[in-house]
Amino acid sequence: RELIRRKNAELEKTIFVTDDEIRSEFEMHQKGMPVIACARAARKDEAEELLKGLRSGKKSSAFETVGPLSYDECSEGVFKEAVAMQAGESKIVEYDGDYVVLSIVKKVKTAPSDFKASYAEIKSMLLEKKKRNATEEWIKKLKDSSDIEINIEALKGLQHGA
C-alpha cells in the first residue's frame, strides 16, 4: 500500500488536465450520458443470440440496466462505445476476452448547463481518472516484469502453524 501511495504522490506531480479536455468532457455530458442494458457472454455466438433476442423484443434476464454510465462502472473501451451510440442502438463489444451486448436505453444530461459551475468537478474527475489509469498501467507493468515463484511447501508449513 505504501508503494502505491508513493506512486500516486509522484503521479500527482506529473499528471495534468487541459482546459480543452475539460471542455470536451463537459460537452459530452451535455449531449447526454447513456443508460444501458448490458449482458456479458463468454462466447461470440452466445452474445449474438442475446443481441438477436434483444432486437426481437425478448430481452434475456442476463441483461442488467446501468446508468447514467460513468467511467467507474465499466472499462474505458466499453464506455467510449456506449457514449458514441445513440438511444435505441445495440451492438456487441469485445471486452477482456468476453463479449458485452450493449443496448442504449436512453441518454441523460448529467452536467449543469453552466461550464464554469462544473469546471472544478470535471477537472477533479479527469485527474482521478488519469491517475487511476496510470496506476493500473504501472501495476500491470510490474506484474508483467515480475518473476514470482510460489513455495508450496512453505505455504503448507504456514497453514499448519509451523
Side-chain angles (χ1 to χ4, degrees), residues 6-142:
R6 286 183 185 180
K7 184 64 175 179
N8 280 333
E10 176 187 317
L11 291 172
E12 285 178 7
K13 297 175 187 171
T14 60
I15 292 180
F16 61 93
V17 177
T18 66
D19 286 345
D20 286 343
E21 289 173 308
I22 296 168
R23 169 125 352 245
S24 176
E25 186 74 16
F26 174 78
E27 289 171 357
M28 181 176 63
H29 283 266
Q30 287 295 305
K31 291 177 185 173
M33 299 306 286
V35 173
I36 64 169
C38 60
R40 201 165 174 167
R43 296 189 333 261
K44 190 168 186 172
D45 63 321
E46 292 172 342
E48 288 168 346
E49 281 300 311
L50 288 167
L51 182 60
K52 183 179 174 183
L54 181 68
R55 288 183 173 161
S56 69
K58 298 174 186 165
K59 185 167 96 173
S60 163
S61 62
F63 280 89
E64 174 184 2
T65 301
V66 180
L69 204 57
S70 70
Y71 292 110
D72 300 350
E73 295 171 313
C74 61
S75 75
E76 189 169 353
V78 171
F79 179 81
K80 285 181 178 179
E81 289 281 348
V83 167
M85 295 168 65
Q86 299 301 313
E89 277 188 82
S90 301
K91 71 190 300 186
I92 298 170
V93 178
E94 288 187 54
Y95 169 68
D96 199 25
D98 286 341
Y99 299 90
V100 177
V101 180
L102 287 178
S103 177
I104 308 303
V105 176
K106 63 182 175 180
K107 295 262 186 141
V108 177
K109 183 178 165 185
T110 58
S113 56
D114 182 21
F115 176 68
K116 288 181 182 179
S118 56
Y119 183 92
E121 183 181 343
I122 292 172
K123 182 177 181 178
S124 175
M125 179 196 60
L126 289 174
L127 280 170
E128 285 303 313
K129 177 186 167 211
K130 284 185 171 188
K131 280 194 320 189
R132 183 176 60 249
N133 288 345
T135 301
E136 288 172 1
E137 183 63 30
W138 174 70
I139 290 170
K140 183 182 182 309
K141 285 179 184 176
L142 284 177

